[in-house]
């Protein structure tokens, strides 16, 4: 006798997906944190109970840091800012990969020095290797112990010696 069998069949497909991601330093995906570039598969089941494989094509770009130590006289210009005091300064920007870039400047500012002195002398005055014979204000430029400019000013008064001649006649 005839026999009829009916099959009501539903085929649920497996699923696959792929994504490409570029990140700085690390990337969190499906409960894991990745810190290096690579291809990472993730297997699970989809809504129909079939296999599901997701693939992550990951590129990790690093953030960058740099540090420099500088000693300057009076002021120092760095990344568009002029500094007049010693200290540690940071500059934040992005590197060529679009990730954070932190530059640190360890700065020592040494001051220039100035001094003023006054002197009065007869006929001439010797100051820093030069003999002066006229009153006036004189400057001497050199470098101080920190290697910065040092300017000394001398306010000098020269009083001339006097001579006199006396002719006397006496009895």
């Amino acid at each position: 006798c005839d026999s009829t069998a009916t099959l009501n069949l539903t085929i649920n497909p497996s699923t696959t997906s792929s994504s490409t991601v570029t990140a700085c330093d690390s990337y969190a995906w499906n409960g894991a944190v990745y810190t290096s570039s690579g291809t990472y598969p993730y297997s699970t089941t989809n809504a129909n109970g079939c296999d599901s494989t997701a693939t992550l094509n990951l590129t990790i770009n690093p953030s960058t840091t740099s540090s420099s130590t500088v000693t300057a006289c009076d002021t120092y210009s760095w990344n568009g800012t002029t500094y007049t005091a010693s200290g540690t300064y940071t500059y934040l920007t992005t590197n060529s990969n679009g990730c954070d870039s932190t530059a640190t400047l360890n700065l020592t500012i040494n001051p220039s020095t100035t001094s003023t002195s006054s002197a009065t002398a007869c006929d001439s005055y010797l100051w820093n290797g030069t003999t002066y014979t006229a009153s006036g204000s004189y400057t001497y430029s050199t470098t101080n112990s920190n290697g910065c400019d040092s300017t000394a000013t001398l306010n000098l008064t020269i009083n001339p010696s006097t001579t006199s001649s006396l002719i006397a006649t006496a009895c």
Side-chain angles (χ1 to χ4, degrees), residues 7 20 28 30 63 70 90 94 114 127 129 153 157 159 162-163 166 171:
L7 173 65
T20 300
N30 290 319
S63 295
V70 174
T90 56
T94 55
T114 60
W127 184 60
T153 301
T157 302
N159 292 320
T162 57
T163 59
L166 178 61
C171 294

Side-chain angles (χ1 to χ4, degrees), residues 21-27 34-38 58-62 99:
V21 174
T22 300
C24 296
D25 299 323
S26 66
Y27 185 73
Y34 299 93
T35 58
S36 60
S37 298
L58 179 62
T59 301
I60 294 291
N61 290 321
C99 297

Side-chain angles (χ1 to χ4, degrees), residues 49-72:
C50 297
D51 290 340
S52 175
T53 303
T55 302
L56 173 65
N57 298 305
L58 179 62
T59 301
I60 294 291
N61 290 321
S63 295
T64 54
T65 60
S66 65
S67 180
S68 58
T69 300
V70 174
T71 300

Side-chain angles (χ1 to χ4, degrees):
C1 296
D2 289 339
S3 173
T4 302
T6 303
L7 173 65
N8 294 313
L9 178 64
T10 302
I11 299 290
N12 291 321
S14 308
T15 55
T16 60
S17 65
S18 178
S19 57
T20 300
V21 174
T22 300
C24 296
D25 299 323
S26 66
Y27 185 73
W29 185 63
N30 290 319
V33 176
Y34 299 93
T35 58
S36 60
S37 298
T39 300
Y40 300 98
Y42 179 75
S43 297
T44 187
T45 54
N46 63 21
N48 295 320
C50 297
D51 290 340
S52 175
T53 303
T55 302
L56 173 65
N57 298 305
L58 179 62
T59 301
I60 294 291
N61 290 321
S63 295
T64 54
T65 60
S66 65
S67 180
S68 58
T69 300
V70 174
T71 300
C73 296
D74 300 321
T75 64
Y76 185 73
S77 292
W78 184 61
N79 292 314
T81 301
T82 300
Y83 298 93
T84 59
S86 296
T88 300
Y89 302 97
T90 56
Y91 180 73
L92 303 174
T93 188
T94 55
N95 62 23
S96 61
N97 294 322
C99 297
D100 290 340
S101 175
T102 303
T104 301
L105 172 65
N106 299 303
L107 179 63
T108 301
I109 294 289
N110 291 321
S112 296
T113 54
T114 60
S115 64
T116 302
S117 60
S118 296
T120 302
C122 295
D123 298 324
S124 66
Y125 186 75
L126 178 63
W127 184 60
N128 292 315
T130 302
T131 301
Y132 297 93
T133 58
S135 296
S137 182
Y138 301 98
T139 58
Y140 179 75
S141 296
T142 187
T143 55
N144 61 23
S145 61
N146 294 322
C148 298
D149 291 340
S150 176
T151 303
T153 301
L154 171 66
N155 295 315
L156 178 62
T157 302
I158 295 290
N159 292 320
S161 298
T162 57
T163 59
S164 62
S165 171
L166 178 61
I167 298 175
T169 304
C171 294

